[in-house]
Amino acid sequence: MSGPNLLRLSEHIVEIVSDAGEGAQKAAISFAQVCAKAGNGLWTVEIIPSEIQPPPHTTGSASGNRIRLAQRSAVSNAGDLANVVFAFNEMALLSRLEAGSIADDALILIDNQWATHNMEAYQNSYRKVLEMVRSRGGTVMEIPLEAETLRYVEDPRRGKNMFAVGLLCALYNKNLETLKEVIQAVFKKKTRDVVDSAIKLASAGYQYGLTNFETRFDVPALPTDTQKVAMNGNTALAIGAVAAGFDLCSMYPITPATSASHVLSEIFEDFGGFVHQAEDEIAAIGVALGASFAGKTALTITSGPGMALKTEFQGLAVMTEIPLVIVDVQRGGPSTGLPTKIEQGDLLHALFGAPGDAPKVIMAASTIEECYYILSTARKIAEEFRMLVIVLSDANLATGQQLFDRPGVSKTPHQQPLDLSPVGEDALYYNWDSVTGLSQRIIPGQPGGMGVITSLNHDRDGKACYDSERNQRAHKMRSRKLAALQKSLHAPELHGAEEGDLLLVGWGSTRGAIEEAVDKARDEGLAVSSVCIQFLSPLPPGLKEIFSRFRKVITVELNYSDDLDDPLITPENRRYGQLAMILRASTLHDIDCYAEVPGRPFMPVEIYGEIQRQLNTGSTAKQPTTATANPIGN
Amino acid sequence: MSNIIEDCLEETCAISAHPISDYESELPRWCKGCGDFGVLTSLQRVLGKNNVDPENVVAVSGIGCSSRLPHYLNTYGFHGIHGRALPIATGVRIARPELKVIVTMGDGDCFSIGGNHWLHAIRYNINAVVLVLDNEVYALTKMQVSPTTPGGWQTNTTPRGNELRPMNPVSAVVGMTNVSFVAQTATWLPAHLDETMEKAWEHKGLSFVRILQRCPVFMPTAFGDGGANFPIVFLENENGIPINPVLLKRGPSQPHDHGNINEAQRVAATVDPAPMGLIYHNPDIPTYEEARFGRRSRPDHETFVRRLDEVMDRYAV
């Protein structure tokens, strides 16, 4: 079944884009499933417009996915520039060119209906975009996508995505039978007719590909004997919440966090859990806090604007020492910002959002696999330390898919019934250990434990008090718990050598891209290492010592920092990336930052470029942005 | 024989019954003459009368004078943040439906900053006694206009008189979907307050009670000098709030069908005279717990693990 030329590759990046509603997402998911079933490692990124039905045939309407597939099963990030793009129209393609995500020599597959479309404007823009692609060195293959699809269905909008996925499977030498299985699973809620028609179209696309591609690609999966799962970060968080033994998820819809609650709404009740959709973000955290006060394990899931609304209750959780977990799936900010796109912009808000001194634990998931496990850790810390734990994820983890080792469920801890044993007369609401600040909590229903917990300052007995001494003590005890937790943390492990010329410090989902860039630089002999910080509050021990072993230390973050080359910006007034700000304050180390807000994940190649700039001391100028001039004009 | 049984019963009750003192904690720190005292006593009475174990009661409040009430009640309590008592109470009910929940709020607390939670709590119909201690003013922050401050009244933020008409919270509540219990009473009518509290306690669902009470410091002339010259009418129904004949000196009574939502809305919309008693009651509205807990079941450990494995199967490649 091999075509005339089968080009063996270690990995490839494919993007599939269409107008919103034309099914590129479904095509991409199906293609990713086929790759996963073949054993390929992968990482997918959703390309999502902010509106449900944006105006068609515009760059703002582009919807689809990027899929990075590899021979190795461990793929840690979305990769560099795309090698293949399947675009349903030229404006969707243009949006990706403008986003700077397509390699100059990429293979572009595009529906040729626009070449002869009765709207002259479409003909013109189609011609111009293709000229642009060719002038960059790209290869264009015009596909009669609409025409071919019309041979099988009346409404090509419903079906050309299946033709496309069939064609891609042929291009990547995948098995047609696997694709058929995947289609049956993807459309399992649809009628027989829909499934049959989808399979017919996919087979036709596959056949078209076999006949027409002169060169096809092969990314054979390396054999593995471990079972794998493929899911996105929000799904991993949701199932992880179940596995961690949470009883309640209280939420309010917000992009890009909500899909975690969709999964929980589907499965949670089978595990005795409960999803409460509250009237607003404030009530969502309030209900979670109330449930936790009553002794159950609760979490709330939100994103930036929701975090803003939850700050008052965060302060209450800190003040009353009620265990609580908040998941913040970060998106672009400030305000409504970029709802569907990635940013790591909430770190300082998580740390300092609540008024007064409100010490809390902040953790960040750095892979989709970690999204699954992180809530178990968060829950344990919240309960043992009677603390608020904020778990930071982001849009990249939330909507991307990754292949990882199937988590074992046999070690799931037993759910313990509530301890409602009587409380002695001398029991205190905050019986702080004077060294660690830790105390045992009392929950409603325990005879003899009656009393009030209050948002006012209070002493060990829980009663409100206003004097200086007891205010100072209460602050000290709440803060001390962070130090106690910090003592139990290990110094983070370095990726690369223990010392060198440059250390990249990252947190959250940038980890994979940073490590890939470091590997590439080390292969070329550069003395670069990286470290990923999982605990942002408290910071792990040993950072200062680690930093001292490198000539230069920079953070790599997807949040805003001033560029020293910008007008008015000086070393004195420059605003740094958020982790850089924290690390500079806590270590007094002169840490630089590579902190940008592209609204998409960093590509390893960009970080590699930054490594070169940092090590080439003569030049600090950044490379020009990758955006391409719009050939259509505005 | 019957006497002996009665004596025995009395004795048994006396042994297990909680005296009022079981519900008393520290001495309240409200201003002299504040209506909050009366509400506290009335609550303690109803707890005692129903012989409720104090450890199984949770009193939740927001911020304001009336929200200090949980401090003075010897039950579990959560003195939270301004306007947010109802979300906390909802969380407690969802987590531990076996616990009795009492919510106390002020007029600014509930109707203004907590307005969204207020209306949606009515819609959820959680099983809780929700008391709004309405003195028509922000008192703890020292006399600012509240949503229920009468038009023309001077406060520190309306020095030339309140330009707005007061809102009618009872009417708003009766207009809300899933409303199941709405009553109005006043602290200057202690017998009526006690009976209302008892009725609210018995109801399964959210019992919304607006309690009129004057602030002796910042609004001493409110409610016709604390009820002395305040036109009211008692709502009469054999299943409603009993009207002690002595009360009729304060105002007349009129028959009212509290089971009829249209009647209830008409009566609730009336402010002069203010209706006192059970305005609306529908015990058949499902509580949030009843509506939502149907599918929820806590499986044993083996089933839990098996189900988790099945969920994982869906994502296996």
Side-chain angles (χ1 to χ4, degrees), chain B:
Chain B
M1 179 68 183
S2 67
N3 273 351
I4 295 170
I5 291 172
E6 263 176 32
D7 286 351
C8 283
L9 265 178
E10 250 173 40
E11 207 167 295
T12 315
C13 289
I15 288 166
S16 64
H18 289 286
I20 295 288
S21 60
D22 276 9
Y23 307 102
E24 291 170 354
S25 84
E26 61 190 89
L27 217 55
R29 294 151 65 97
W30 288 308
C31 304
K32 199 177 161 195
C34 178
D36 292 348
F37 288 99
V39 178
L40 174 64
T41 310
S42 183
L43 256 179
Q44 288 164 335
R45 266 194 217 124
V46 82
L47 292 174
K49 196 168 166 192
N50 290 279
N51 196 26
V52 188
D53 291 332
E55 67 267 23
N56 291 328
V57 179
V58 176
V60 186
S61 67
I63 291 293
C65 297
S66 53
S67 287
R68 294 298 177 92
L69 192 141
H71 285 272
Y72 312 133
L73 202 57
N74 187 35
T75 62
Y76 280 87
F78 196 153
H79 175 212
I81 46 180
H82 201 26
R84 321 282 174 223
L86 285 164
I88 293 174
T90 304
V92 173
R93 282 297 309 171
I94 292 174
R96 304 274 305 277
E98 73 275 19
L99 296 172
K100 301 281 183 190
V101 173
I102 300 163
V103 182
T104 58
M105 296 173 285
D107 40 316
D109 201 29
C110 181
F111 308 144
S112 193
I113 192 168
N116 200 28
H117 310 312
W118 169 42
L119 295 181
H120 286 277
I122 302 288
R123 190 169 69 90
Y124 300 142
N125 194 35
I126 58 164
N127 193 357
V129 174
V130 175
L131 311 174
V132 179
L133 286 66
D134 188 346
N135 57 10
E136 302 187 338
V137 69
Y138 284 82
L140 194 61
T141 47
K142 301 198 168 87
M143 198 167 72
Q144 294 81 27
V145 68
S146 107
T148 51
T149 303
W153 282 54
Q154 289 182 335
T155 71
N156 284 327
T157 47
T158 54
R160 286 165 291 281
N162 180 14
E163 297 85 354
L164 294 175
R165 297 165 64 205
M167 84 177 289
N168 179 346
V170 172
S171 180
V173 166
V174 177
M176 202 63 200
T177 302
N178 270 356
V179 60
S180 66
F181 183 105
V182 182
Q184 181 157 260
T185 183
T187 53
W188 63 87
L189 309 167
H192 191 261
L193 175 62
D194 281 355
E195 296 283 6
T196 307
M197 206 70 90
E198 178 66 27
K199 204 83 190 164
W201 185 263
E202 286 166 9
H203 172 66
K204 174 185 66 66
L206 192 146
S207 314
F208 177 82
V209 184
R210 182 192 185 201
I211 304 171
L212 309 181
Q213 58 163 106
R214 147 186 93 143
C215 171
V217 176
F218 294 118
M219 279 286 195
T221 56
F223 304 113
D225 292 322
N229 305 301
F230 189 66
I232 54 175
V233 58
F234 291 101
L235 303 177
E236 220 181 278
N237 186 309
E238 61 174 335
N239 296 316
I241 314 292
I243 307 163
N244 188 312
V246 184
L247 287 173
L248 295 172
K249 281 192 241 162
R250 298 286 200 152
S253 68
Q254 68 179 39
H256 172 58
D257 179 4
H258 58 237
N260 180 329
I261 188 72
N262 296 320
E263 269 298 288
Q265 285 175 346
R266 190 183 60 75
V267 164
T270 316
V271 289
D272 186 9
M276 290 288 154
L278 188 52
I279 294 170
Y280 182 66
H281 189 203
N282 183 349
D284 297 329
I285 304 276
T287 64
Y288 190 63
E289 301 87 315
E290 288 168 341
R292 291 291 319 274
F293 283 0
R295 274 196 75 244
R296 185 167 82 156
S297 67
R298 166 73 68 194
D300 59 43
H301 183 70
E302 281 66 36
T303 313
F304 188 100
V305 168
R306 182 174 48 76
R307 287 181 181 168
L308 192 56
D309 213 32
E310 284 167 5
V311 168
M312 216 60 84
D313 283 343
R314 297 184 207 170
Y315 301 93
V317 294

Side-chain angles (χ1 to χ4, degrees), chain A residues 247 270 276 279 406 446 455, chain B residues 76 80 124 288 298 307 313:
Chain A
D247 299 295
D270 293 335
H276 173 74
E279 61 271 21
R406 178 175 174 137
Q446 288 190 266
S455 55
Chain B
Y76 280 87
Y124 300 142
Y288 190 63
R298 166 73 68 194
R307 287 181 181 168
D313 283 343

